[in-house]
Amino acid sequence: MPTNARTYEVVEGWEQLPSGYVHRDVAGVAVDGEDRVFLICRGDHPVIVYDRKGNFLSSWGEGEFTYRTHGITIGPDGTVFCTDDGNHTVRQFTPAGKLLTTLGTMNTPSDTGYDGKDSINIPRPGGPFNRPTNVAVGPNGDLYISDGYGNCRVHRFSPTGQLKRSWGVPGKAPGQFHLPHGIAAAADGRIFVCDRENDRIQIFSPDGEYLTEWTDTQRPTHIVFDGQGRAYVSELWWHKGQTSQRHGPITEARYGRVSVFDKDGRLLTRWGTPDATAAGSFAAPHGIAVDSRGDIYVSEVTHTFAISRGLPGSHTFQKFALKS
């Protein structure tokens, strides 16, 4: 049961999306040191920036991304890291969208034997990248990149972009992955990896040594920390007929949700309902961020995961204000 529960309320109508702008999928969200909110979308306006009140500030990246954008992370210096699993790159930009660095070779996946369809059965691990998913910045500035859809690894780079090491092989055992999807660095340097199809978050030392795992989670898509070390996790639906690598065949739907844990993995609060279209519930939670006041932002890949399941009208982005 949750302890020391925190409560949130959905802020309906927060996002002031400009006229003519649409986003059927919002793949990720991040908040910078000024509490500006950056969305990375699958559409004509890939990166959209808002102030804390939801006022539109700018957009950038038009024509520079595929329709498979995946994750967004703000570094401690304010630069913006964007993963694009459609072109197999991780790129670093200024907050205004000027390209600084590209990791990976554009439109050239690493050789893992991936067939382009089955992200569970990756034949073999490979180098960077084959459909990378997200980025974390360690306390010393090292970059940790989850390489998940066409690979089964985490790659560690120096702050200047030199590959230092990679770890992970396909599977369910400690240190193995079935779709490493989200990633975060704790203040003490530990690396938390959302091992999505294994229904767990694996925890590693900064050097990639397996330490432990959290299993009170469901298809975790992303994880972020606040200044007090609390962990915020977005969790995707299991739909009837799918198969969890941990739990086996899914006979009854398990709805999407958000969970908040303390630094030791104890559940503080969790919410979501079977009504995917209801305000405050989720159709396809895929990214998550928290601002300096403790408010939470959740992005959803609604078109990819929900519309095909007969859930028109589902939201793609929501803000939750901390009440207590």
Side-chain angles (χ1 to χ4, degrees):
M1 295 294 292
T3 59
N4 189 27
R6 295 160 70 82
T7 59
Y8 300 84
E9 61 182 358
V10 64
V11 183
E12 294 193 63
W14 176 85
E15 183 190 8
Q16 303 303 302
L17 191 66
S19 176
Y21 280 53
V22 295
H23 46 47
R24 301 185 303 172
D25 281 339
V26 182
V29 57
V31 178
D32 73 2
E34 300 176 26
D35 277 346
R36 292 180 298 185
V37 181
F38 289 69
L39 277 58
I40 190 163
C41 308
R42 296 173 180 170
D44 294 335
H45 303 284
V47 178
I48 299 175
V49 187
Y50 295 99
D51 68 15
R52 182 170 199 285
K53 296 182 180 180
N55 297 308
F56 173 81
L57 298 177
S58 65
S59 67
W60 48 265
E62 287 80 1
E64 299 298 321
F65 292 85
T66 74
Y67 279 3
R68 284 291 311 184
T69 56
H70 200 276
I72 187 167
T73 299
I74 309 294
D77 60 356
T79 59
V80 183
F81 294 90
C82 298
T83 56
D84 189 335
D85 79 57
N87 63 27
H88 312 288
T89 67
V90 174
R91 286 178 287 174
Q92 181 185 22
F93 299 87
T94 68
K98 178 184 177 181
L99 179 64
L100 300 173
T101 305
T102 298
L103 298 177
T105 303
M106 187 71 70
N107 299 316
T108 306
S110 60
D111 181 11
T112 64
Y114 172 58
D115 64 4
K117 299 176 183 179
D118 187 354
S119 295
I120 302 301
N121 297 308
I122 303 298
R124 57 186 176 273
F129 301 106
N130 196 320
R131 301 188 66 192
T133 48
N134 274 290
V135 178
V137 183
N140 69 346
D142 279 0
L143 305 177
Y144 295 85
I145 299 173
S146 51
D147 196 8
Y149 278 100
N151 207 342
C152 53
R153 311 211 87 182
V154 171
H155 308 288
R156 181 185 184 183
F157 290 83
S158 73
T160 57
Q162 300 301 308
L163 180 64
K164 298 175 77 169
R165 69 158 304 187
S166 301
W167 74 86
V169 297
K172 306 177 186 179
Q176 300 178 346
F177 297 111
H178 277 310
L179 215 174
H181 194 277
I183 191 166
D188 61 7
R190 289 177 300 158
I191 304 302
F192 288 63
V193 183
C194 295
D195 188 10
R196 197 184 85 178
E197 301 303 286
N198 280 327
D199 287 299
R200 64 182 176 180
I201 295 171
Q202 297 198 68
I203 304 171
F204 299 88
S205 75
D207 294 324
E209 175 190 3
Y210 172 85
L211 301 175
T212 188
E213 60 189 49
W214 293 354
T215 57
D216 183 16
T217 187
Q218 167 189 296
R219 287 189 100 189
T221 50
H222 200 40
I223 178 172
V224 292
F225 293 99
D226 67 15
Q228 289 70 50
R230 287 178 289 257
Y232 301 76
V233 181
S234 52
E235 300 172 277
L236 199 60
W237 281 68
W238 277 119
H239 292 283
K240 184 177 180 179
Q242 294 180 316
T243 300
S244 162
Q245 299 301 303
R246 176 178 293 274
H247 303 297
I250 302 300
T251 58
E252 296 294 334
R254 304 182 183 191
Y255 49 82
R257 63 194 190 186
V258 162
S259 298
V260 183
F261 301 91
D262 71 12
K263 61 183 179 62
D264 297 313
R266 289 185 290 261
L267 183 66
L268 299 176
T269 192
R270 169 176 284 159
W271 71 92
T273 76
D275 184 359
T277 63
S281 289
F282 307 102
H286 194 262
I288 192 166
V290 60
D291 68 19
S292 65
R293 303 188 190 185
D295 294 349
I296 298 172
Y297 304 83
V298 182
S299 65
E300 304 191 52
V301 286
T302 306
H303 179 76
T304 297
F305 277 97
I307 298 301
S308 63
R309 295 183 178 275
L311 296 170
S314 299
H315 29 67
T316 57
F317 184 77
Q318 296 182 92
K319 176 177 178 175
F320 297 87
L322 176 64
K323 293 177 63 178
S324 62

